Amino acid sequence: MIVVDSALKPFRVMAYIVGCMLLALVGAMVVKYGFGNATPVALVGPVHGFVYAVYLLTALNLGLKARWSWPYILGVLLAGTVPFLSFVIERKVTQRVRERIALATA
């Protein structure tokens, strides 16, 4: 279970970063469509895309090591596309992994 625990921290970090970047992207889109300034989207968009790709890798790594079902892995992967959802999913995933680790060590 140490392998799963070591994959949890990168996932948690990336979940928070992706959540913050997605909120920044939403704000940039409001500026673009509300005020006609496309510069923030041009700056934030590619960064969010790269960060989301790294999030996908860390979430997939954790899901494979924790032996989750594919539908659950897919749900976790898609959590980075809905504002605020990555924060909620991060909490649920962390709780699920920690409970599994506690059961395995008990």
Side-chain angles (χ1 to χ4, degrees):
M1 293 316 296
I2 293 174
V3 174
V4 176
D5 194 35
S6 68
L8 181 62
K9 187 172 185 178
F11 167 76
R12 294 185 72 199
V13 169
M14 290 310 302
Y16 278 108
I17 292 172
V18 164
C20 292
M21 287 304 300
L22 185 58
L23 292 175
L25 183 60
V26 169
M29 290 175 65
V30 168
V31 170
K32 178 180 179 179
Y33 294 110
F35 303 104
N37 184 0
T39 304
V41 172
L43 297 173
V44 175
V47 174
H48 170 69
F50 175 76
V51 169
Y52 182 66
V54 175
Y55 168 80
L56 291 176
L57 292 174
T58 58
L60 186 61
N61 179 41
L62 177 61
L64 293 175
K65 288 180 179 177
R67 298 182 183 201
W68 294 337
S69 66
W70 281 104
Y72 190 81
I73 291 174
L74 184 62
V76 172
L77 295 177
L78 291 174
T81 62
V82 179
F84 296 109
L85 188 58
S86 67
F87 301 118
V88 174
I89 293 298
E90 181 274 329
R91 280 281 139 208
K92 290 185 179 191
V93 165
T94 300
Q95 181 181 7
R96 181 178 181 166
V97 169
R98 287 187 176 158
E99 286 174 357
R100 186 165 178 196
I101 290 172
L103 288 174
T105 57

